[in-house]
Amino acid sequence: MRIRSASTRLLYMAATLCSAALTAGCASNHAPAAHDGPPLSAAPAEATPQLKNVMAAHFKVGAAIEPDSIENPADTALLAAQFSSLTAENKMKPGTIGVAEGQYNFGPADQIIAVAQAHGIAVRGHTLAWHYHAGDWTEAPAWFFAGDPQDPHYHDLVAARLRRYVTDVVTHFRGKVYAWDVVNEVISDDPHQVYREDSPWYRALGRDYIAIAFRAARAADLDVKLYINEYSTDDSVKRAKLLSVVRELRAAGVPIDGVGHQMHISVNWPPIANLKQAFDDVAAMGLENQVTELDMSLYNDSGACWSDPHACLPDLGNPVPNDVMRAQALRYRAVFDLFDHEPSIKAVTFWGYSDKHTWLTSTPAPRNNLPLLFDANLRPKAAFWAIVDPAYQP
């Protein structure tokens, strides 16, 4: 919903900005009202640097895209200039590719691959197994699970389907992608569970599906990097569960190269120290890190927002207050400073590339949200300049 009064808007800004020092948040719900602040500083009078070159000594810089992202020449030019890696946001997932057993729709993904190759951009594969289902949208197509779960052969039947799917898909893209998110979001948010037990994969195969997918992927491509991808890895409890799963898999000889950290963060959460600990814990296991779905919401919503839109913070309106965008720029600078000092990070991928292409304008609630480095007109924002130019003060 839209903020209906200036006083409400200012109170919201106070709640958003009180942790500009990147702490956990306000100690009081009655913080003094914040003001909009001065306009953001103008962009430096220089040619726009290429982010991929600025970060080339550290890691690849990526963007998640859809095929329509590369239909506009201006968008393609931005992607080619700024990014060294691309991820198919949805078109390499089972819901698109897995039409039926042994039948595949590679067309949309191949389109993205072709553009990437034409511009010398690397590609990440995302993802081979995911539980997601909402309405007509499913990333775990029903044909994988056809049959009678009481049949003593059911486990082997579903396992064979998964193994064939992973083998065929990874083989199709062999030599065209440098990394795969083999499984996505396998860890439960329930404190009493380790695995996401409501996943159709878990219901059919138990935890075995994770090892099956990794082993099939490695057999199909000996060189591609294989990742387990998860959100909220900054949360110590969830991360402990994730790393316990990784340890068990590696002890069983399952080939895992690294952990993907989605990193859907906000302008003031989580603390930088939490992010650093997540990377360090993975690196201590001898594994690589990748940031796979980075964006920075302007809203620090409670967890209830994701199940009840009425629990989400109100819309900041348009234009967004200057101090909110300034806080975002400084936060991006701090986050990238952390990335720069973590040698185990091999790639940082944004979940989108400009504010005109972001899931956060509709999820978890419809409202104005500007989470990326380029605005809806493809112009670099203060957040971009804060990353590439240490002297820039937004």
Side-chain angles (χ1 to χ4, degrees):
M1 67 179 177
R2 292 284 176 183
I3 297 177
R4 298 185 182 277
S5 70
S7 61
T8 306
R9 190 178 193 217
L10 290 174
L11 284 171
Y12 171 77
M13 288 167 55
T16 300
L17 296 173
C18 68
S19 53
L22 308 182
T23 59
C26 292
S28 169
N29 291 329
H30 302 287
H35 295 284
D36 193 3
L40 295 172
S41 300
E46 61 181 90
T48 303
Q50 293 178 297
L51 183 60
K52 64 180 182 182
N53 292 341
V54 174
M55 297 298 163
H58 302 284
F59 43 74
K60 292 180 175 67
V61 178
I65 67 170
E66 295 284 8
D68 61 6
S69 305
I70 50 180
E71 292 175 356
N72 186 320
D75 292 67
T76 302
L78 175 69
L79 292 167
Q82 295 294 334
F83 299 100
S84 52
S85 175
L86 292 179
T87 297
E89 187 171 346
N90 289 298
K91 301 307 182 185
M92 292 176 80
K93 294 174 179 173
T96 295
I97 290 180
V99 176
E101 186 171 3
Q103 298 180 29
Y104 308 107
N105 175 20
F106 291 119
D110 286 344
Q111 182 182 355
I112 292 172
I113 294 280
V115 169
Q117 291 180 332
H119 292 90
I121 305 174
V123 176
R124 293 190 83 253
H126 175 83
T127 177
L128 295 168
W130 190 26
H131 70 277
Y132 189 78
H133 176 84
D136 294 333
W137 179 13
T138 180
E139 296 299 347
W143 62 263
F144 277 113
F145 311 103
D148 180 2
Q150 304 305 315
D151 186 321
H153 302 292
Y154 180 73
H155 179 284
D156 292 343
L157 181 65
V158 176
R161 289 174 182 149
L162 175 60
R163 192 175 294 111
R164 179 183 181 184
Y165 175 83
V166 172
T167 299
D168 290 351
V169 172
V170 174
T171 298
H172 178 85
F173 293 110
R174 185 169 54 210
K176 301 174 183 178
V177 303
Y178 68 92
W180 272 106
D181 292 330
V182 178
V183 295
N184 190 42
E185 301 176 358
V186 304
I187 303 301
S188 176
D189 292 318
D190 185 332
H192 305 294
Q193 296 178 358
V194 173
Y195 297 91
R196 185 184 292 273
E197 295 182 10
D198 60 350
S199 163
W201 288 113
Y202 190 90
R203 290 197 301 265
L205 299 175
R207 63 185 183 180
D208 293 352
Y209 79 94
I210 301 172
I212 291 168
F214 271 98
R215 286 189 167 120
R218 173 57 70 231
D221 189 337
L222 299 178
D223 299 319
V224 71
K225 296 290 187 177
L226 303 180
Y227 281 76
I228 183 169
N229 196 48
E230 192 56 74
Y231 64 86
S232 296
T233 57
D234 58 276
D235 179 83
S236 61
V237 174
K238 187 164 188 177
R239 183 172 67 253
K241 292 192 288 186
L242 170 64
L243 297 185
S244 72
V245 168
V246 172
R247 289 189 188 95
E248 289 178 5
L249 291 167
R250 295 181 77 201
V254 176
I256 299 178
D257 295 301
V259 171
H261 308 259
Q262 292 187 10
M263 276 196 66
H264 298 292
I265 61 178
S266 79
V267 291
N268 54 8
W269 188 263
I272 293 293
N274 293 32
L275 301 176
K276 176 175 172 52
Q277 192 64 57
F279 299 135
D280 290 349
D281 285 355
V282 171
M285 297 174 65
L287 295 172
E288 297 178 355
N289 287 293
Q290 287 195 18
V291 176
T292 57
E293 304 182 20
L294 176 63
D295 47 28
M296 187 180 295
S297 175
L298 304 180
Y299 304 87
N300 189 28
D301 294 301
S302 68
C305 169
W306 291 90
S307 57
D308 177 11
H310 297 291
C312 298
L313 290 169
D315 197 326
L316 279 165
N318 189 15
V320 171
N322 293 326
D323 277 349
V324 176
M325 300 311 296
R326 185 174 289 108
Q328 184 190 60
L330 295 174
R331 171 79 156 157
Y332 260 123
R333 172 175 284 165
V335 167
F336 266 78
D337 183 64
L338 169 65
F339 295 164
D340 290 350
H341 291 87
E342 292 287 338
S344 64
I345 296 178
K346 304 304 180 183
V348 173
T349 296
F350 291 87
W351 205 240
Y353 58 96
S354 90
D355 288 337
K356 74 174 182 177
H357 180 89
T358 170
W359 68 307
L360 290 175
T361 55
S362 59
T363 306
R367 57 192 171 179
N368 191 28
N369 208 343
L370 310 173
L372 299 167
L373 299 188
F374 296 88
D375 69 17
N377 294 311
L378 308 182
R379 296 174 300 201
K381 294 163 51 180
F384 173 88
W385 289 106
I387 292 171
V388 302
D389 186 349
Y392 175 72
Q393 294 299 322

